[in-house]
Amino acid sequence: MMKKNKLFALALLGSASVYGQAHLQAGSTESRMEGLKKRTALEQSSLIKNIKFRNVGPTVMSGRVVDIDVNPANSIEFYVAYATGGLWYTNNNGQSFTPVSDTLDHLFMGDIAVDWKSNTIYLGTGESNASRSTYAGTGVYKSTDGGKTWQYLGLPDSHHIGKVIISPKDPNTVWVAAIGHLYSPNKERGIFKTTDGGKTWAKTLYIDDKTGGIDLDIDPENPNNVYAAMWYRTRTPWNFEEGGPSSGIYKSTDGGTKWSLISGAGSGFPTGKAGGRIGLSVSVQNPQLIFAVLDNNDNRPSKKDTSGKYSLLEFRKATKEDFAKLDEKKLDEFLKENRFPEDINAKSLKAQVAEGKLKPTVVADYLKNGNTDMLVNEVKGAEVYKSSDGGKSWTKTHNNFIDAFSSYGYYMSEIWVSPKDSNKVVITGVPLSLSTDGGKTFKNIGGNGVHSDHHVVWFDPQNDNHMINGNDGGINITYDLGKNWIKANSASVGQFYSVAVDDARPYNVYGGLQDNGVWYGPSTNVENTAWYATGEYPYKNIGGGDGMMVQVDTRNNATYYAGSQFGMYSRSSKDRTAPSLPIHPMHKVGEVPLRYNWETPILLSRFNQDILYMGSNKFHRSLNKGETMETLSGDLTKGYKEGDVPFGTTTWIAESPLKFGLLYVGTDDGLIHLSRNGGYDWTTISDKLPQDLWVSCITPSAFKDGRVYASLNGYRFDNFSPYLFVSEDFGGTWKAINGNLPPEPINSVKEDPKNENILYVGTDGGLYMSMDKGLSYMPFGGNLPRVPVHDIAIQQRENDIVLGTHGRSIYIANLDAIQKLTPALVAKNAEVFDIKEVTASAGTGRGFGRGSARPSASIAYYVKSGGPATIRIKNTKGEVLNTFTPATEAGLNVFDYDLSIKQSNNVEAGLASTLTPGTYTVEVEAGGTTTSKPLVVKSAAARDRNGGGAPGESEENEIK
């Protein structure tokens, strides 16, 4: 097996310089599906599958919801599909949730449909909201027992599913709207139908390889009348085309076998290139009444500004003549409000534009960045149309702009009509918009505690003032049509982009989340509702927007650097001893604007934490905690690429832990650069790697200064191959070390701080560990969901690995046992590892009072083969105080011993029911071998006096 892995790695090495363009093409469905089987086999054989992670939350901010399905006869029972967090079930109105899809191949949800009478769920995988973190599914799954077990139904190349509908007359008849690949054309998209419960599928509506099905609805009285919304959209790493002429609405009158376009020319529905995403809803009261919401990408007519101030939009289209006519007072006011350098004023700008030294668009050019590009809304956006004749003709319901989408219609654009009152219409957008007059007017009904960016609404068919709403911040419930809302966020489904730790005791975990800002909290957190009594949730919010990278000054564990999308960072302090300092390096007026990645990289130097590194398309450094930023490089990317998504940016900055000034930078267009002098000079070292892929992580070694690891990511080409490399000579040459990893894009790679042979790799499918420097890998953590691991941090004092997952919040595991997994150990029949001393809590020996935490000892041991094992706890006389026979599998095993004493073995211990302070022996018998290690129990009082137990502490109370 080892020889095969070496040959595979050498083969990849030999081909590294001649990859061609294959890596920029979508991966094959066959290889991806085989990869899922491969991963399952690796999980079963993993030597570390019994090392458990603990989830430390957070939950309160939740994550993006893509669908809800509610029992119409019992509205406190429903399922929630989280975009990357899986499917969850509640039967108590969201007070608690249970995950029901964790046994599936992945947790990427698209849409669900439930037949509540038979307890059957159809699950379409792969989110249809075309965002930066929209993961591809593998088709349709089915459960006939409420999610306890699942069967796969096919459509593996559909990638993203917008809607699943079950016929109200036959649960075996199901329609699926598949939008198809996000970053590449493909043919398995459109409308699919099954009449045999998913055994076979017929593609009944297909337009082309860039147009797919985004929504469906049916006539509740006659399910032969089916309506489908088709959407043209394409995406590349640098450009997103949100609509096209093939978008439209189709109708079938024979149950979805044949279709007719009902939104063409002359229908009253907009046609042409502006056709964006469409949502549909058929009235239950009157099935001839159909509502549609359109993301109309036509430009809005210009309107006169009445504020008396200049707007950014005016400067974007300014000519030389326009600029000469600008009012200097108003221009100076605009410059001040938008933080132009103090030496820039209206008079000087007008003179330089008149002389041709500056472009007339200089003001807009200076302010150009990803945020302003998104927020300047020039399109019509949300428009609602209705048909009163079953789709024969359409009319717009409103005269004024609704302003529900901004520029994000591709991310929402769905509509719901109350089953009791067809005048009540809700559209999901940035706000949650309600109309009570059939779409003539809309108002925002999102209240306090309701997140923006909405994706799904459910109306109670018995009481349509009762609604359940899913958005980027989880679940909200109202019983008075949006006047008041409650939050139902008990599931740990946070979508972390990044994770970091400090050195406090206990240490804190920090991270940025998708659309939920930046948070930090204690690594010891156990999610529960006890904080309701105090109002003090353990995690604290320290930043808004889409939370990005975090760096913490561990000299005081209070100063941190954090921010939001496109490089909007700041330095702040948790103890609020200093005001927040904005950090966002800017180009000079008249220069080409800097380009910032969605997740702009920052890094604090561990040699001197006054030094902050930051990347745009250039490299920036501060020597004074961000007070001033110097630009030390030219453009480190391949340059600007025309499109509406910021591209040609840095994605990663890394510093050697062995040598100050040895730095690496990676970019979104596939370049890796090396600097040996603190960023003043740079050398490109990626010429022999696959070209143009996103550099997702760079990790310099702590064991050899020339060793560096780099991962590349093909997600934005629908390429799922794992690209992982190591260089032993500062990037002069590279060797592929993806070993036996399954086809899952790689997000993070970390080197173990104590064992240089061990690597940790976070992918879109989970976490892997290599004990041989990347020749082979095994999945890490049997209780870890198959969720994207976006980032990895290691807290070296506690020897913990901390995972920032994009869908299930934060997980932590200890590495003590992992680091002992060596070839020498694997050759043994059995081995028990050193046991960390345990501090007894008050009451040890006599049981525990209510609310006191029960201490436990973690007993880790290795066995070559699975089978029966016996663990004995002995006192200094060799007498057995307790015996356990845990289930044991080949590899590492961990048994959490609660210090209990079996009463029948209570030798000379009086009434003691647990171990008292003293030294004991843990004996493990397994695989025909018996090994033992000491277990030390310290007194709580001694720990309090001496900060962890005093040497020579009295052990008079030991059970002898």
Side-chain angles (χ1 to χ4, degrees), residues 93 163 192 227 365 601:
N93 208 32
K163 194 74 170 183
F192 295 83
Y227 300 88
D365 292 343

Side-chain angles (χ1 to χ4, degrees), residues 300-333:
R300 292 188 181 190
S302 299
K303 64 178 181 178
K304 188 175 182 179
D305 185 86
T306 58
S307 68
K309 296 183 178 182
Y310 287 132
S311 68
L312 179 59
L313 189 58
E314 294 177 80
F315 295 108
R316 286 194 165 192
K317 299 178 179 181
T319 64
K320 192 172 183 179
E321 292 73 22
D322 294 334
F323 207 89
K325 297 177 183 178
L326 293 174
D327 180 277
E328 289 190 8
K329 184 177 180 181
K330 288 172 60 177
L331 179 54
D332 275 329
E333 184 180 350

Side-chain angles (χ1 to χ4, degrees), residues 11 32 231 269 274 299 530 551 731:
R32 191 178 183 211
W231 181 26
F269 199 87
N299 288 335
Q551 293 289 289

Side-chain angles (χ1 to χ4, degrees), residues 512-535:
L513 298 96
Q514 189 276 326
D515 211 19
N516 280 292
V518 180
W519 294 70
Y520 84 95
S523 58
T524 53
N525 182 53
V526 177
E527 283 293 323
N528 56 55
T529 58
W531 67 275
Y532 289 2
T534 64

